[in-house]
PDB file of all heavy atoms in Angstrom:
ATOM      1  N   ARG Y 809      -0.395   5.304   4.287  1.00  0.00           N
ATOM      2  CA  ARG Y 809      -0.429   6.790   4.080  1.00  0.00           C
ATOM      3  C   ARG Y 809       0.621   7.232   3.084  1.00  0.00           C
ATOM      4  O   ARG Y 809       1.604   6.481   2.776  1.00  0.00           O
ATOM      5  CB  ARG Y 809      -0.207   7.516   5.382  1.00  0.00           C
ATOM      6  CG  ARG Y 809       1.160   7.333   6.034  1.00  0.00           C
ATOM      7  CD  ARG Y 809       1.207   8.060   7.395  1.00  0.00           C
ATOM      8  NE  ARG Y 809       2.483   7.905   8.057  1.00  0.00           N
ATOM      9  CZ  ARG Y 809       2.796   8.332   9.272  1.00  0.00           C
ATOM     10  NH1 ARG Y 809       1.867   9.037   9.944  1.00  0.00           N
ATOM     11  NH2 ARG Y 809       3.976   8.182   9.785  1.00  0.00           N
ATOM     12  N   VAL Y 819       0.856   1.905   7.629  1.00  0.00           N
ATOM     13  CA  VAL Y 819       0.674   2.502   8.990  1.00  0.00           C
ATOM     14  C   VAL Y 819       0.310   1.437  10.043  1.00  0.00           C
ATOM     15  O   VAL Y 819       0.870   1.344  11.093  1.00  0.00           O
ATOM     16  CB  VAL Y 819      -0.346   3.614   8.988  1.00  0.00           C
ATOM     17  CG1 VAL Y 819      -0.622   4.134  10.362  1.00  0.00           C
ATOM     18  CG2 VAL Y 819       0.125   4.766   8.077  1.00  0.00           C
ATOM     19  N   VAL Y 832       3.349   0.513  12.362  1.00  0.00           N
ATOM     20  CA  VAL Y 832       4.725   1.004  12.054  1.00  0.00           C
ATOM     21  C   VAL Y 832       5.247   1.691  13.299  1.00  0.00           C
ATOM     22  O   VAL Y 832       4.474   2.284  14.082  1.00  0.00           O
ATOM     23  CB  VAL Y 832       4.701   1.917  10.812  1.00  0.00           C
ATOM     24  CG1 VAL Y 832       4.023   3.243  11.108  1.00  0.00           C
ATOM     25  CG2 VAL Y 832       6.140   2.151  10.290  1.00  0.00           C
ATOM     26  N   ASP Y 833       6.548   1.585  13.530  1.00  0.00           N
ATOM     27  CA  ASP Y 833       7.144   2.105  14.741  1.00  0.00           C
ATOM     28  C   ASP Y 833       6.830   3.602  14.995  1.00  0.00           C
ATOM     29  O   ASP Y 833       6.654   4.002  16.130  1.00  0.00           O
ATOM     30  CB  ASP Y 833       8.658   1.916  14.750  1.00  0.00           C
ATOM     31  CG  ASP Y 833       9.051   0.454  14.930  1.00  0.00           C
ATOM     32  OD1 ASP Y 833       8.190  -0.327  15.320  1.00  0.00           O
ATOM     33  OD2 ASP Y 833      10.213   0.125  14.658  1.00  0.00           O
ATOM     34  N   SER Y 834       6.783   4.346  13.939  1.00  0.00           N
ATOM     35  CA  SER Y 834       6.607   5.848  14.085  1.00  0.00           C
ATOM     36  C   SER Y 834       5.233   6.254  14.633  1.00  0.00           C
ATOM     37  O   SER Y 834       5.082   7.376  15.077  1.00  0.00           O
ATOM     38  CB  SER Y 834       6.875   6.522  12.740  1.00  0.00           C
ATOM     39  OG  SER Y 834       5.899   6.065  11.781  1.00  0.00           O
ATOM     40  N   VAL Y 835       4.308   5.329  14.621  1.00  0.00           N
ATOM     41  CA  VAL Y 835       2.949   5.717  15.206  1.00  0.00           C
ATOM     42  C   VAL Y 835       2.548   4.907  16.425  1.00  0.00           C
ATOM     43  O   VAL Y 835       1.483   5.171  17.009  1.00  0.00           O
ATOM     44  CB  VAL Y 835       1.842   5.565  14.107  1.00  0.00           C
ATOM     45  CG1 VAL Y 835       2.220   6.254  12.804  1.00  0.00           C
ATOM     46  CG2 VAL Y 835       1.519   4.105  13.826  1.00  0.00           C
ATOM     47  N   LYS Y 836       3.404   3.984  16.842  1.00  0.00           N
ATOM     48  CA  LYS Y 836       3.068   3.155  18.014  1.00  0.00           C
ATOM     49  C   LYS Y 836       2.867   4.067  19.208  1.00  0.00           C
ATOM     50  O   LYS Y 836       3.666   4.951  19.496  1.00  0.00           O
ATOM     51  CB  LYS Y 836       4.198   2.208  18.267  1.00  0.00           C
ATOM     52  CG  LYS Y 836       4.141   0.925  17.489  1.00  0.00           C
ATOM     53  CD  LYS Y 836       5.289  -0.009  17.893  1.00  0.00           C
ATOM     54  CE  LYS Y 836       5.396  -1.185  17.029  1.00  0.00           C
ATOM     55  NZ  LYS Y 836       6.556  -2.089  17.366  1.00  0.00           N
ATOM     56  N   GLY Y 837       1.780   3.765  19.974  1.00  0.00           N
ATOM     57  CA  GLY Y 837       1.506   4.552  21.137  1.00  0.00           C
ATOM     58  C   GLY Y 837       0.717   5.798  20.882  1.00  0.00           C
ATOM     59  O   GLY Y 837       0.245   6.440  21.831  1.00  0.00           O
ATOM     60  N   ARG Y 838       0.585   6.198  19.608  1.00  0.00           N
ATOM     61  CA  ARG Y 838      -0.183   7.399  19.260  1.00  0.00           C
ATOM     62  C   ARG Y 838      -1.396   7.087  18.444  1.00  0.00           C
ATOM     63  O   ARG Y 838      -2.422   7.740  18.559  1.00  0.00           O
ATOM     64  CB  ARG Y 838       0.722   8.354  18.455  1.00  0.00           C
ATOM     65  CG  ARG Y 838       1.968   8.808  19.152  1.00  0.00           C
ATOM     66  CD  ARG Y 838       2.729   9.938  18.401  1.00  0.00           C
ATOM     67  NE  ARG Y 838       3.135   9.492  17.095  1.00  0.00           N
ATOM     68  CZ  ARG Y 838       2.777  10.097  15.957  1.00  0.00           C
ATOM     69  NH1 ARG Y 838       1.992  11.171  15.990  1.00  0.00           N
ATOM     70  NH2 ARG Y 838       3.218   9.656  14.807  1.00  0.00           N
ATOM     71  N   PHE Y 839      -1.317   6.050  17.607  1.00  0.00           N
ATOM     72  CA  PHE Y 839      -2.423   5.726  16.727  1.00  0.00           C
ATOM     73  C   PHE Y 839      -3.034   4.369  17.189  1.00  0.00           C
ATOM     74  O   PHE Y 839      -2.296   3.477  17.678  1.00  0.00           O
ATOM     75  CB  PHE Y 839      -2.005   5.527  15.273  1.00  0.00           C
ATOM     76  CG  PHE Y 839      -1.588   6.787  14.562  1.00  0.00           C
ATOM     77  CD1 PHE Y 839      -1.420   8.010  15.214  1.00  0.00           C
ATOM     78  CD2 PHE Y 839      -1.371   6.746  13.190  1.00  0.00           C
ATOM     79  CE1 PHE Y 839      -1.025   9.163  14.541  1.00  0.00           C
ATOM     80  CE2 PHE Y 839      -0.984   7.924  12.486  1.00  0.00           C
ATOM     81  CZ  PHE Y 839      -0.834   9.099  13.188  1.00  0.00           C
TER      82      PHE Y 839
END
Side-chain angles (χ1 to χ4, degrees):
Chain Y
R809 67 183 178 183
V819 174
V832 68
D833 287 347
S834 59
V835 309
K836 277 184 187 175
R838 299 189 300 123
F839 290 12

